Amino acid sequence: PGGAHLPAACLCPASFPTMTDVSPTVLAASYAGLVAVNVVYGRGLFGVRTNADVSAAYPTDVTPSGATFAIWGPIFLLEGAGTAVLASGGDASRMALVAGPWVTTWLGECLWQAVFGVLPVPQGGATAGRKLASLAPAALFVGAAHVKMLGGALALVGGAPAYGLVGAAVVDFPTGLNAGWLAAASGIAFTLVAQQVPPLQPLATPEAGAVLVGALTAYGAAVTLSLAGCPAAALGYAAATAWACRGIASESAKTPPIVKTTAARCALVAVAAGAFALAVGALKR
């Protein structure tokens, strides 16, 4: 996904794949479907609007610069490499831990694309109710996606798979990276909903945006530390948080000064949390 580029699932946990019942074929097919959907929406094929076009019509005070969303490239590429390793039987322990969360999150990303892509453009010609019909489920999908991918990251800590450079690079790291980025995306999704609901509009002001960035960074620091038992996942989560803050603080981002200042400081907090988690992880090993 690009643009307000949020990508989620877990609407009904019982109906979605669990960590132990995803076959290599399902994992590979799910990844292929994810890529296909993102190519369609990324390039505007078959007459659909691109994420960038829709996002430009729905700005928020916490939306990073457009270049920041390039993070989806490394996420998808690394997950593709991880899928190849897992589906080929190269790491059974990690397959059992993350295949379910990955597939569920990818499904959610596709669902997010479907509802976000049909938002009215320009938004001025549509009622708040019509916009909420897309924005509300989009927020639900991205929030659920974060929860599912974070669950996969925490499973890597609790499951303690055998450490290996390949597994750490193409499974652990992208799991944390994706989870961290989805947390940032959830902040954008929430703000978009708040803009359309009068009682919630005070939560979509520049001051509220600064508070939101700070809160998500504090949450991200806590999560990063909780992932210290899986250093690559912790590094990924911290990197995503810092990258999001950097994008919000950048000069090219259309964010208010108070939000930029807060985000610049929060980027340093995210980096510090990542460094501390790596140190703790090294001591544990």
Side-chain angles (χ1 to χ4, degrees):
H5 323 231
L6 333 166
C10 187
L11 292 179
C12 179
S15 66
F16 281 13
T18 65
M19 291 185 185
T20 57
D21 62 11
V22 174
S23 69
T25 300
V26 169
L27 180 66
S30 298
Y31 179 75
L34 171 75
V35 172
V37 169
N38 278 276
V39 168
V40 169
Y41 282 92
R43 298 188 178 182
L45 303 180
F46 309 113
V48 304
R49 293 190 183 91
T50 66
N51 287 334
D53 289 340
V54 178
S55 296
Y58 289 84
T60 76
D61 287 334
V62 294
T63 302
S65 62
T68 309
F69 295 100
I71 192 175
W72 283 117
I75 289 174
F76 288 157
L77 287 173
L78 288 170
E79 288 180 348
T83 296
V85 170
L86 298 179
S88 66
D91 197 326
S93 62
R94 283 182 171 84
M95 176 70 176
L97 295 171
V98 305
W102 277 22
V103 168
T104 306
T105 300
W106 296 341
L107 172 60
E109 291 179 3
C110 294
L111 293 173
W112 174 84
Q113 292 279 15
V115 295
F116 187 75
V118 296
L119 273 165
V121 176
Q123 66 165 303
T127 65
R130 168 60 191 88
K131 288 179 278 189
L132 282 171
S134 290
L135 292 173
L140 174 63
F141 290 150
V142 74
H146 166 66
V147 170
K148 293 302 293 185
M149 192 58 83
L150 177 58
L154 292 172
L156 287 168
V157 176
Y163 184 80
L165 183 59
V166 173
V170 302
V171 177
D172 303 357
F173 181 75
T175 299
L177 191 68
N178 202 347
W181 185 250
L182 286 170
S186 296
I188 301 173
F190 170 78
T191 304
L192 285 169
V193 170
Q195 289 175 343
Q196 305 302 324
V197 182
L200 297 180
Q201 286 174 354
L203 300 178
T205 62
E207 293 75 15
V211 172
L212 179 62
V213 170
L216 284 174
T217 301
Y219 167 72
V223 170
T224 297
L225 295 179
S226 74
L227 295 174
C230 183
L235 178 61
Y237 200 104
T241 305
W243 182 254
C245 289
R246 173 194 170 281
I248 294 170
S250 69
E251 291 185 5
S252 57
K254 297 178 181 179
T255 49
I258 188 174
V259 176
K260 288 183 185 293
T261 300
T262 301
R265 294 169 179 170
C266 285
L268 299 178
V269 172
V271 170
F276 188 75
L278 289 179
V280 172
L283 290 176
K284 287 184 176 181
R285 293 182 182 280

